Amino acid sequence: AAIAVNLVEISPESPAFHYLLGMARAETGDADGAKKAFAAAVNLNPAFVPPKIGLARMHRQSGELDAARKTLDAVLAEIPGNVSAMMEMARLELSRQNPREALNWAEEAVRADAGAVDPRLLLIEVLVQTDQLEAAEKSAWDATAVFPNNLDCMASLAQVQALVPKRSLNDATA
C-alpha cells in the first residue's frame, strides 16, 4: 500500500492511482481505507467503472448489502453488459441468501463473455455453494474443455470432483 500512497501523493488528481490505493487497502483488510480510495477515484472520474466495482465489493464484504446493490445497479444501468458488475452482483446475491438470483447473475456473466475464465469459475462456485454439485461438475468439465491449459479450471474441476459422491469409472465416462 505504501507505493500506492506515494503515487496518490505525487498525483492526487489521478483516479487510477486512487483505484490502485483502494485495491492495495482492500488486499490488506483496510475496508474503510479502500472505500475512501475507491470513492475518491469515482469522484475524480465518474465514468471510471473499476473503482465502482471495488466499492460495491467493499460494501458487500462489510455487510452493507443495500449500498453494494445501489452501486451495482448504477453500473449496470450505465453499462448493462458489464461482466464484472454481473459477477459482483452474483456474489452479492449469495450474501443476501438468494441463490436463485446469484445463479442467474453468474449465468448471465458467462453468456456475456463466454471467452473469459472468471465468469465460468464464478458459476462453478455458485453452483457448489447452492449444492448443485452435478451441475457444478458439468460446468467445471465445460470450463476445462474450453480452457484446457488453465490451472484454475483444472483446480476447480478437482475441487468439485472431491465433493461429488463417488461413482464408478464407467459412470463417469459414460
Side-chain angles (χ1 to χ4, degrees):
I3 293 172
V5 169
N6 288 341
L7 290 171
V8 168
E9 288 172 355
I10 292 168
S11 186
E13 73 286 348
S14 170
F17 291 162
H18 285 278
Y19 171 68
L20 289 174
L21 179 59
M23 294 297 290
R25 290 197 167 147
E27 189 68 28
T28 62
D30 179 5
D32 289 336
K35 285 187 235 179
K36 287 176 186 170
F38 289 140
V42 171
N43 287 336
L44 288 166
N45 182 356
F48 189 27
V49 174
K52 293 177 184 181
I53 305 296
L55 189 57
R57 184 176 52 255
M58 291 294 95
H59 285 312
R60 175 180 53 82
Q61 291 175 349
S62 299
E64 301 163 1
L65 304 184
D66 290 340
R69 179 66 187 238
K70 182 179 176 184
T71 301
L72 293 170
D73 282 342
V75 169
L76 289 166
E78 291 174 39
I79 310 167
N82 187 291
V83 174
S84 295
M86 292 176 194
M87 292 175 59
E88 187 57 35
M89 192 68 89
R91 292 181 182 102
L92 174 62
E93 292 301 335
L94 282 176
S95 295
R96 287 179 174 266
Q97 305 295 312
N98 193 347
R100 184 76 224 141
E101 279 302 304
L103 183 57
N104 288 341
W105 281 110
E107 289 171 338
E108 184 65 26
V110 170
R111 282 191 296 273
D113 192 356
V117 172
D118 289 342
R120 289 174 184 264
L121 293 174
L122 176 63
L123 176 59
I124 295 163
E125 177 186 329
V126 169
L127 289 166
V128 168
Q129 289 189 28
T130 58
D131 205 32
Q132 299 177 57
L133 298 181
E134 288 183 13
E137 183 180 28
K138 181 187 179 314
S139 291
W141 275 113
D142 290 348
T144 303
V146 174
F147 306 102
N149 298 319
N150 186 289
L151 293 177
D152 290 331
C153 288
M154 289 185 251
S156 181
L157 176 60
Q159 290 170 345
V160 170
Q161 286 185 317
L163 298 172
V164 173
K166 301 295 182 223
R167 299 182 306 258
S168 73
L169 184 55
N170 291 335
D171 290 343
T173 59

